[in-house]
mmCIF file of all heavy atoms in Angstrom:
data_model
loop_
_atom_site.group_PDB
_atom_site.id
_atom_site.type_symbol
_atom_site.label_atom_id
_atom_site.label_comp_id
_atom_site.label_asym_id
_atom_site.label_seq_id
_atom_site.Cartn_x
_atom_site.Cartn_y
_atom_site.Cartn_z
ATOM 1 N N GLU A 71 5.938 -2.987 -17.640
ATOM 2 C CA GLU A 71 4.534 -3.431 -17.580
ATOM 3 C C GLU A 71 3.715 -2.452 -16.747
ATOM 4 O O GLU A 71 3.949 -2.295 -15.556
ATOM 5 C CB GLU A 71 4.495 -4.843 -16.976
ATOM 6 C CG GLU A 71 3.102 -5.415 -16.805
ATOM 7 C CD GLU A 71 2.438 -4.909 -15.530
ATOM 8 O OE1 GLU A 71 3.035 -5.004 -14.453
ATOM 9 O OE2 GLU A 71 1.300 -4.402 -15.657
ATOM 10 N N ALA A 76 -4.107 -7.807 -13.337
ATOM 11 C CA ALA A 76 -3.033 -8.484 -12.602
ATOM 12 C C ALA A 76 -2.676 -9.833 -13.208
ATOM 13 O O ALA A 76 -1.499 -10.214 -13.259
ATOM 14 C CB ALA A 76 -3.424 -8.642 -11.140
ATOM 15 N N ALA A 79 -0.846 -9.267 -16.416
ATOM 16 C CA ALA A 79 0.466 -8.707 -16.087
ATOM 17 C C ALA A 79 1.435 -9.804 -15.669
ATOM 18 O O ALA A 79 2.619 -9.793 -16.058
ATOM 19 C CB ALA A 79 0.327 -7.669 -14.972
ATOM 20 N N PHE A 80 0.968 -10.777 -14.881
ATOM 21 C CA PHE A 80 1.842 -11.861 -14.451
ATOM 22 C C PHE A 80 2.321 -12.684 -15.652
ATOM 23 O O PHE A 80 3.501 -13.052 -15.739
ATOM 24 C CB PHE A 80 1.125 -12.767 -13.451
ATOM 25 C CG PHE A 80 1.956 -13.938 -13.003
ATOM 26 C CD1 PHE A 80 3.082 -13.739 -12.216
ATOM 27 C CD2 PHE A 80 1.636 -15.227 -13.389
ATOM 28 C CE1 PHE A 80 3.870 -14.814 -11.811
ATOM 29 C CE2 PHE A 80 2.409 -16.300 -12.990
ATOM 30 C CZ PHE A 80 3.534 -16.095 -12.192
ATOM 31 N N ASP A 81 1.419 -12.964 -16.581
ATOM 32 C CA ASP A 81 1.810 -13.715 -17.774
ATOM 33 C C ASP A 81 2.869 -12.957 -18.578
ATOM 34 O O ASP A 81 3.833 -13.554 -19.088
ATOM 35 C CB ASP A 81 0.587 -13.972 -18.652
ATOM 36 C CG ASP A 81 -0.367 -14.992 -18.039
ATOM 37 O OD1 ASP A 81 0.085 -15.774 -17.176
ATOM 38 O OD2 ASP A 81 -1.555 -14.989 -18.410
ATOM 39 N N ILE A 82 2.699 -11.632 -18.686
ATOM 40 C CA ILE A 82 3.666 -10.803 -19.420
ATOM 41 C C ILE A 82 5.024 -10.835 -18.735
ATOM 42 O O ILE A 82 6.066 -11.070 -19.370
ATOM 43 C CB ILE A 82 3.146 -9.348 -19.514
ATOM 44 C CG1 ILE A 82 1.960 -9.278 -20.478
ATOM 45 C CG2 ILE A 82 4.262 -8.393 -19.946
ATOM 46 C CD1 ILE A 82 1.193 -7.971 -20.407
ATOM 47 N N VAL A 83 5.035 -10.621 -17.423
ATOM 48 C CA VAL A 83 6.290 -10.571 -16.663
ATOM 49 C C VAL A 83 6.993 -11.922 -16.702
ATOM 50 O O VAL A 83 8.215 -12.004 -16.914
ATOM 51 C CB VAL A 83 6.014 -10.136 -15.207
ATOM 52 C CG1 VAL A 83 7.258 -10.285 -14.351
ATOM 53 C CG2 VAL A 83 5.525 -8.684 -15.174
ATOM 54 N N LYS A 84 6.242 -12.989 -16.516
ATOM 55 C CA LYS A 84 6.822 -14.344 -16.528
ATOM 56 C C LYS A 84 7.458 -14.652 -17.882
ATOM 57 O O LYS A 84 8.592 -15.136 -17.958
ATOM 58 C CB LYS A 84 5.724 -15.357 -16.211
ATOM 59 C CG LYS A 84 6.180 -16.814 -16.144
ATOM 60 C CD LYS A 84 5.013 -17.697 -15.691
ATOM 61 C CE LYS A 84 5.444 -19.156 -15.544
ATOM 62 N NZ LYS A 84 5.681 -19.784 -16.857
ATOM 63 N N THR A 85 6.730 -14.370 -18.970
ATOM 64 C CA THR A 85 7.248 -14.641 -20.311
ATOM 65 C C THR A 85 8.472 -13.792 -20.607
ATOM 66 O O THR A 85 9.438 -14.265 -21.224
ATOM 67 C CB THR A 85 6.160 -14.383 -21.363
ATOM 68 O OG1 THR A 85 4.997 -15.154 -21.056
ATOM 69 C CG2 THR A 85 6.649 -14.737 -22.759
ATOM 70 N N MET A 87 10.710 -12.636 -18.464
ATOM 71 C CA MET A 87 11.860 -13.187 -17.736
ATOM 72 C C MET A 87 12.371 -14.456 -18.411
ATOM 73 O O MET A 87 13.585 -14.666 -18.538
ATOM 74 C CB MET A 87 11.472 -13.485 -16.290
ATOM 75 C CG MET A 87 11.271 -12.266 -15.428
ATOM 76 S SD MET A 87 11.045 -12.764 -13.700
ATOM 77 C CE MET A 87 10.483 -11.234 -12.989
ATOM 78 N N VAL A 93 12.709 -6.577 -16.263
ATOM 79 C CA VAL A 93 11.319 -6.134 -16.174
ATOM 80 C C VAL A 93 11.168 -5.050 -15.111
ATOM 81 O O VAL A 93 11.763 -5.129 -14.036
ATOM 82 C CB VAL A 93 10.373 -7.310 -15.828
ATOM 83 C CG1 VAL A 93 8.925 -6.831 -15.763
ATOM 84 C CG2 VAL A 93 10.506 -8.436 -16.848
ATOM 85 N N SER A 95 7.802 -3.057 -13.253
ATOM 86 C CA SER A 95 6.341 -3.123 -13.121
ATOM 87 C C SER A 95 5.859 -2.173 -12.036
ATOM 88 O O SER A 95 6.594 -1.854 -11.097
ATOM 89 C CB SER A 95 5.903 -4.554 -12.787
ATOM 90 O OG SER A 95 4.508 -4.612 -12.545
ATOM 91 N N ASN A 97 2.535 -2.923 -10.966
ATOM 92 C CA ASN A 97 1.303 -3.643 -10.643
ATOM 93 C C ASN A 97 1.385 -4.314 -9.274
ATOM 94 O O ASN A 97 1.784 -5.465 -9.148
ATOM 95 C CB ASN A 97 1.012 -4.686 -11.729
ATOM 96 C CG ASN A 97 -0.420 -5.157 -11.700
ATOM 97 O OD1 ASN A 97 -0.958 -5.490 -10.658
ATOM 98 N ND2 ASN A 97 -1.047 -5.185 -12.864
ATOM 99 N N LYS A 98 0.994 -3.559 -8.221
ATOM 100 C CA LYS A 98 1.150 -4.083 -6.854
ATOM 101 C C LYS A 98 0.312 -5.333 -6.587
ATOM 102 O O LYS A 98 0.737 -6.221 -5.847
ATOM 103 C CB LYS A 98 0.830 -3.007 -5.807
ATOM 104 C CG LYS A 98 -0.481 -2.275 -5.978
ATOM 105 C CD LYS A 98 -0.294 -1.020 -6.779
ATOM 106 C CE LYS A 98 -1.492 -0.110 -6.812
ATOM 107 N NZ LYS A 98 -1.250 1.088 -7.648
ATOM 108 N N LYS A 99 -0.869 -5.435 -7.171
ATOM 109 C CA LYS A 99 -1.699 -6.618 -6.943
ATOM 110 C C LYS A 99 -1.010 -7.861 -7.496
ATOM 111 O O LYS A 99 -0.933 -8.901 -6.822
ATOM 112 C CB LYS A 99 -3.072 -6.436 -7.590
ATOM 113 C CG LYS A 99 -4.062 -7.564 -7.290
ATOM 114 C CD LYS A 99 -5.444 -7.240 -7.868
ATOM 115 C CE LYS A 99 -6.483 -8.271 -7.438
ATOM 116 N NZ LYS A 99 -6.243 -9.612 -7.971
ATOM 117 N N MET A 100 -0.506 -7.757 -8.695
ATOM 118 C CA MET A 100 0.185 -8.887 -9.312
ATOM 119 C C MET A 100 1.430 -9.270 -8.514
ATOM 120 O O MET A 100 1.673 -10.443 -8.238
ATOM 121 C CB MET A 100 0.564 -8.531 -10.758
ATOM 122 C CG MET A 100 1.297 -9.614 -11.512
ATOM 123 S SD MET A 100 3.104 -9.584 -11.317
ATOM 124 C CE MET A 100 3.527 -8.073 -12.182
ATOM 125 N N ILE A 101 2.207 -8.280 -8.111
ATOM 126 C CA ILE A 101 3.449 -8.545 -7.382
ATOM 127 C C ILE A 101 3.145 -9.164 -6.014
ATOM 128 O O ILE A 101 3.763 -10.155 -5.614
ATOM 129 C CB ILE A 101 4.266 -7.249 -7.219
ATOM 130 C CG1 ILE A 101 4.688 -6.721 -8.597
ATOM 131 C CG2 ILE A 101 5.495 -7.488 -6.341
ATOM 132 C CD1 ILE A 101 5.168 -5.294 -8.592
ATOM 133 N N ALA A 102 2.188 -8.587 -5.295
ATOM 134 C CA ALA A 102 1.857 -9.084 -3.960
ATOM 135 C C ALA A 102 1.354 -10.521 -3.994
ATOM 136 O O ALA A 102 1.676 -11.319 -3.110
ATOM 137 C CB ALA A 102 0.814 -8.177 -3.315
ATOM 138 N N GLU A 103 0.575 -10.868 -5.001
ATOM 139 C CA GLU A 103 0.000 -12.208 -5.084
ATOM 140 C C GLU A 103 0.985 -13.256 -5.586
ATOM 141 O O GLU A 103 0.823 -14.452 -5.306
ATOM 142 C CB GLU A 103 -1.239 -12.186 -5.981
ATOM 143 C CG GLU A 103 -2.418 -11.420 -5.373
ATOM 144 C CD GLU A 103 -3.629 -11.397 -6.286
ATOM 145 O OE1 GLU A 103 -3.497 -11.799 -7.466
ATOM 146 O OE2 GLU A 103 -4.704 -10.971 -5.823
ATOM 147 N N HIS A 104 2.023 -12.826 -6.308
ATOM 148 C CA HIS A 104 2.924 -13.792 -6.953
ATOM 149 C C HIS A 104 4.395 -13.590 -6.594
ATOM 150 O O HIS A 104 5.269 -14.155 -7.270
ATOM 151 C CB HIS A 104 2.787 -13.698 -8.479
ATOM 152 C CG HIS A 104 1.433 -14.043 -9.011
ATOM 153 N ND1 HIS A 104 0.987 -15.345 -9.122
ATOM 154 C CD2 HIS A 104 0.413 -13.253 -9.450
ATOM 155 C CE1 HIS A 104 -0.240 -15.346 -9.617
ATOM 156 N NE2 HIS A 104 -0.620 -14.100 -9.816
ATOM 157 N N LEU A 105 4.689 -12.818 -5.549
ATOM 158 C CA LEU A 105 6.080 -12.459 -5.289
ATOM 159 C C LEU A 105 6.963 -13.680 -5.069
ATOM 160 O O LEU A 105 8.125 -13.709 -5.499
ATOM 161 C CB LEU A 105 6.180 -11.511 -4.092
ATOM 162 C CG LEU A 105 7.572 -10.927 -3.821
ATOM 163 C CD1 LEU A 105 8.130 -10.240 -5.066
ATOM 164 C CD2 LEU A 105 7.542 -9.964 -2.648
ATOM 165 N N ASP A 106 6.457 -14.704 -4.407
ATOM 166 C CA ASP A 106 7.278 -15.901 -4.193
ATOM 167 C C ASP A 106 7.691 -16.540 -5.521
ATOM 168 O O ASP A 106 8.846 -16.929 -5.710
ATOM 169 C CB ASP A 106 6.546 -16.912 -3.310
ATOM 170 C CG ASP A 106 5.194 -17.332 -3.866
ATOM 171 O OD1 ASP A 106 4.621 -16.598 -4.706
ATOM 172 O OD2 ASP A 106 4.688 -18.407 -3.456
ATOM 173 N N GLU A 107 6.751 -16.609 -6.470
ATOM 174 C CA GLU A 107 7.057 -17.166 -7.789
ATOM 175 C C GLU A 107 7.996 -16.253 -8.568
ATOM 176 O O GLU A 107 8.904 -16.720 -9.281
ATOM 177 C CB GLU A 107 5.772 -17.361 -8.596
ATOM 178 C CG GLU A 107 4.750 -18.276 -7.946
ATOM 179 C CD GLU A 107 3.399 -18.169 -8.623
ATOM 180 O OE1 GLU A 107 3.243 -18.756 -9.716
ATOM 181 O OE2 GLU A 107 2.506 -17.494 -8.066
ATOM 182 N N LEU A 108 7.780 -14.934 -8.437
ATOM 183 C CA LEU A 108 8.580 -13.965 -9.184
ATOM 184 C C LEU A 108 10.037 -13.964 -8.720
ATOM 185 O O LEU A 108 10.951 -13.777 -9.527
ATOM 186 C CB LEU A 108 7.976 -12.568 -9.032
ATOM 187 C CG LEU A 108 6.611 -12.380 -9.713
ATOM 188 C CD1 LEU A 108 5.929 -11.106 -9.236
ATOM 189 C CD2 LEU A 108 6.774 -12.353 -11.236
ATOM 190 N N ILE A 109 10.252 -14.179 -7.433
ATOM 191 C CA ILE A 109 11.622 -14.264 -6.922
ATOM 192 C C ILE A 109 12.330 -15.483 -7.509
ATOM 193 O O ILE A 109 13.496 -15.414 -7.918
ATOM 194 C CB ILE A 109 11.626 -14.303 -5.383
ATOM 195 C CG1 ILE A 109 11.173 -12.953 -4.818
ATOM 196 C CG2 ILE A 109 13.015 -14.657 -4.851
ATOM 197 C CD1 ILE A 109 10.967 -12.941 -3.319
ATOM 198 N N VAL A 110 11.627 -16.602 -7.579
ATOM 199 C CA VAL A 110 12.201 -17.819 -8.161
ATOM 200 C C VAL A 110 12.549 -17.597 -9.631
ATOM 201 O O VAL A 110 13.625 -18.010 -10.102
ATOM 202 C CB VAL A 110 11.219 -19.002 -8.009
ATOM 203 C CG1 VAL A 110 11.708 -20.212 -8.814
ATOM 204 C CG2 VAL A 110 11.051 -19.375 -6.543
ATOM 205 N N LEU A 111 11.662 -16.941 -10.376
ATOM 206 C CA LEU A 111 11.913 -16.664 -11.794
ATOM 207 C C LEU A 111 13.149 -15.779 -11.983
ATOM 208 O O LEU A 111 13.958 -16.017 -12.890
ATOM 209 C CB LEU A 111 10.686 -15.989 -12.421
ATOM 210 C CG LEU A 111 9.479 -16.888 -12.683
ATOM 211 C CD1 LEU A 111 8.250 -16.050 -13.009
ATOM 212 C CD2 LEU A 111 9.772 -17.855 -13.831
ATOM 213 N N GLN A 112 13.295 -14.768 -11.128
ATOM 214 C CA GLN A 112 14.461 -13.890 -11.214
ATOM 215 C C GLN A 112 15.744 -14.680 -11.019
ATOM 216 O O GLN A 112 16.729 -14.487 -11.749
ATOM 217 C CB GLN A 112 14.384 -12.796 -10.145
ATOM 218 C CG GLN A 112 13.274 -11.784 -10.362
ATOM 219 C CD GLN A 112 13.151 -10.850 -9.170
ATOM 220 O OE1 GLN A 112 14.011 -9.999 -8.950
ATOM 221 N NE2 GLN A 112 12.094 -10.996 -8.395
ATOM 222 N N GLN A 113 15.730 -15.554 -10.035
ATOM 223 C CA GLN A 113 16.924 -16.332 -9.726
ATOM 224 C C GLN A 113 17.214 -17.368 -10.809
ATOM 225 O O GLN A 113 18.376 -17.599 -11.171
ATOM 226 C CB GLN A 113 16.754 -17.009 -8.363
ATOM 227 C CG GLN A 113 16.674 -16.012 -7.214
ATOM 228 C CD GLN A 113 16.269 -16.647 -5.891
ATOM 229 O OE1 GLN A 113 15.721 -17.756 -5.870
ATOM 230 N NE2 GLN A 113 16.527 -15.967 -4.794
ATOM 231 N N ARG A 114 16.159 -17.958 -11.345
ATOM 232 C CA ARG A 114 16.349 -19.002 -12.356
ATOM 233 C C ARG A 114 16.888 -18.444 -13.672
ATOM 234 O O ARG A 114 17.795 -19.023 -14.284
ATOM 235 C CB ARG A 114 15.018 -19.716 -12.603
ATOM 236 C CG ARG A 114 15.102 -20.810 -13.650
ATOM 237 C CD ARG A 114 13.739 -21.467 -13.867
ATOM 238 N NE ARG A 114 13.780 -22.451 -14.917
ATOM 239 C CZ ARG A 114 12.697 -23.069 -15.409
ATOM 240 N NH1 ARG A 114 11.501 -22.799 -14.895
ATOM 241 N NH2 ARG A 114 12.814 -23.954 -16.374
ATOM 242 N N PHE A 115 16.329 -17.294 -14.094
ATOM 243 C CA PHE A 115 16.715 -16.744 -15.404
ATOM 244 C C PHE A 115 17.712 -15.602 -15.298
ATOM 245 O O PHE A 115 18.090 -15.017 -16.313
ATOM 246 C CB PHE A 115 15.462 -16.293 -16.164
ATOM 247 C CG PHE A 115 14.555 -17.432 -16.534
ATOM 248 C CD1 PHE A 115 13.417 -17.696 -15.784
ATOM 249 C CD2 PHE A 115 14.862 -18.263 -17.595
ATOM 250 C CE1 PHE A 115 12.574 -18.757 -16.104
ATOM 251 C CE2 PHE A 115 14.039 -19.325 -17.920
ATOM 252 C CZ PHE A 115 12.898 -19.577 -17.178
ATOM 253 N N GLN A 116 18.136 -15.296 -14.055
ATOM 254 C CA GLN A 116 19.172 -14.284 -13.820
ATOM 255 C C GLN A 116 18.845 -12.949 -14.499
ATOM 256 O O GLN A 116 19.661 -12.358 -15.210
ATOM 257 C CB GLN A 116 20.532 -14.806 -14.303
ATOM 258 C CG GLN A 116 21.088 -15.941 -13.455
ATOM 259 C CD GLN A 116 21.366 -15.488 -12.012
ATOM 260 O OE1 GLN A 116 22.185 -14.613 -11.780
ATOM 261 N NE2 GLN A 116 20.655 -16.083 -11.060
ATOM 262 N N VAL A 117 17.611 -12.494 -14.242
ATOM 263 C CA VAL A 117 17.188 -11.195 -14.780
ATOM 264 C C VAL A 117 16.632 -10.333 -13.643
ATOM 265 O O VAL A 117 16.011 -10.854 -12.718
ATOM 266 C CB VAL A 117 16.102 -11.357 -15.872
ATOM 267 C CG1 VAL A 117 16.703 -11.919 -17.144
ATOM 268 C CG2 VAL A 117 14.958 -12.238 -15.386
ATOM 269 N N PRO A 118 16.853 -9.036 -13.702
ATOM 270 C CA PRO A 118 16.307 -8.165 -12.657
ATOM 271 C C PRO A 118 14.831 -7.864 -12.873
ATOM 272 O O PRO A 118 14.357 -7.792 -14.020
ATOM 273 C CB PRO A 118 17.143 -6.879 -12.791
ATOM 274 C CG PRO A 118 17.661 -6.890 -14.181
ATOM 275 C CD PRO A 118 17.750 -8.323 -14.621
ATOM 276 N N PHE A 119 14.132 -7.699 -11.756
ATOM 277 C CA PHE A 119 12.717 -7.334 -11.762
ATOM 278 C C PHE A 119 12.537 -6.242 -10.706
ATOM 279 O O PHE A 119 12.684 -6.505 -9.513
ATOM 280 C CB PHE A 119 11.860 -8.557 -11.446
ATOM 281 C CG PHE A 119 10.387 -8.264 -11.276
ATOM 282 C CD1 PHE A 119 9.702 -7.501 -12.213
ATOM 283 C CD2 PHE A 119 9.688 -8.759 -10.181
ATOM 284 C CE1 PHE A 119 8.348 -7.228 -12.059
ATOM 285 C CE2 PHE A 119 8.328 -8.507 -10.027
ATOM 286 C CZ PHE A 119 7.660 -7.734 -10.962
ATOM 287 N N TYR A 121 10.322 -2.799 -9.059
ATOM 288 C CA TYR A 121 8.920 -2.363 -8.935
ATOM 289 C C TYR A 121 8.736 -1.279 -7.872
ATOM 290 O O TYR A 121 7.811 -1.318 -7.079
ATOM 291 C CB TYR A 121 8.031 -3.575 -8.617
ATOM 292 C CG TYR A 121 8.619 -4.565 -7.635
ATOM 293 C CD1 TYR A 121 8.507 -4.383 -6.258
ATOM 294 C CD2 TYR A 121 9.293 -5.693 -8.106
ATOM 295 C CE1 TYR A 121 9.046 -5.298 -5.368
ATOM 296 C CE2 TYR A 121 9.838 -6.612 -7.227
ATOM 297 C CZ TYR A 121 9.704 -6.413 -5.861
ATOM 298 O OH TYR A 121 10.248 -7.324 -4.987
ATOM 299 N N ILE A 201 4.277 -6.329 -0.013
ATOM 300 C CA ILE A 201 5.560 -6.055 -0.663
ATOM 301 C C ILE A 201 6.553 -5.454 0.329
ATOM 302 O O ILE A 201 7.730 -5.837 0.375
ATOM 303 C CB ILE A 201 5.356 -5.122 -1.873
ATOM 304 C CG1 ILE A 201 4.488 -5.817 -2.933
ATOM 305 C CG2 ILE A 201 6.696 -4.712 -2.478
ATOM 306 C CD1 ILE A 201 3.995 -4.897 -4.041
ATOM 307 N N TRP A 210 7.485 -13.354 2.699
ATOM 308 C CA TRP A 210 6.341 -13.066 1.830
ATOM 309 C C TRP A 210 5.069 -13.533 2.511
ATOM 310 O O TRP A 210 4.961 -14.678 2.945
ATOM 311 C CB TRP A 210 6.491 -13.769 0.484
ATOM 312 C CG TRP A 210 5.277 -13.604 -0.384
ATOM 313 C CD1 TRP A 210 4.846 -12.445 -0.976
ATOM 314 C CD2 TRP A 210 4.335 -14.617 -0.749
ATOM 315 N NE1 TRP A 210 3.690 -12.674 -1.688
ATOM 316 C CE2 TRP A 210 3.342 -13.992 -1.568
ATOM 317 C CE3 TRP A 210 4.219 -15.973 -0.466
ATOM 318 C CZ2 TRP A 210 2.276 -14.698 -2.099
ATOM 319 C CZ3 TRP A 210 3.146 -16.673 -0.995
ATOM 320 C CH2 TRP A 210 2.189 -16.038 -1.808
ATOM 321 N N TYR A 318 17.303 -9.369 -2.215
ATOM 322 C CA TYR A 318 16.485 -10.123 -1.249
ATOM 323 C C TYR A 318 17.378 -10.785 -0.192
ATOM 324 O O TYR A 318 17.307 -11.978 0.058
ATOM 325 C CB TYR A 318 15.644 -11.178 -1.969
ATOM 326 C CG TYR A 318 14.718 -10.621 -3.022
ATOM 327 C CD1 TYR A 318 15.042 -10.680 -4.371
ATOM 328 C CD2 TYR A 318 13.505 -10.023 -2.670
ATOM 329 C CE1 TYR A 318 14.187 -10.166 -5.342
ATOM 330 C CE2 TYR A 318 12.648 -9.508 -3.634
ATOM 331 C CZ TYR A 318 12.987 -9.584 -4.963
ATOM 332 O OH TYR A 318 12.154 -9.079 -5.925
ATOM 333 N N LEU A 321 15.844 -13.085 2.863
ATOM 334 C CA LEU A 321 14.937 -14.211 2.615
ATOM 335 C C LEU A 321 15.169 -15.381 3.559
ATOM 336 O O LEU A 321 14.227 -16.004 4.045
ATOM 337 C CB LEU A 321 15.072 -14.691 1.166
ATOM 338 C CG LEU A 321 14.350 -13.871 0.086
ATOM 339 C CD1 LEU A 321 14.578 -14.516 -1.275
ATOM 340 C CD2 LEU A 321 12.866 -13.773 0.385
#
Side-chain angles (χ1 to χ4, degrees):
E71 178 278 308
F80 178 68
D81 289 339
I82 289 167
V83 171
K84 182 175 183 288
T85 305
M87 288 188 192
V93 181
S95 175
N97 198 312
K98 51 267 190 182
K99 186 175 187 294
M100 180 272 292
I101 297 165
E103 291 179 350
H104 297 283
L105 187 54
D106 57 339
E107 301 167 77
L108 292 166
I109 291 172
V110 171
L111 286 168
Q112 292 173 71
Q113 295 170 342
R114 179 181 176 188
F115 294 101
Q116 291 297 298
V117 288
F119 174 49
Y121 40 84
I201 296 169
W210 175 69
Y318 302 101
L321 281 181

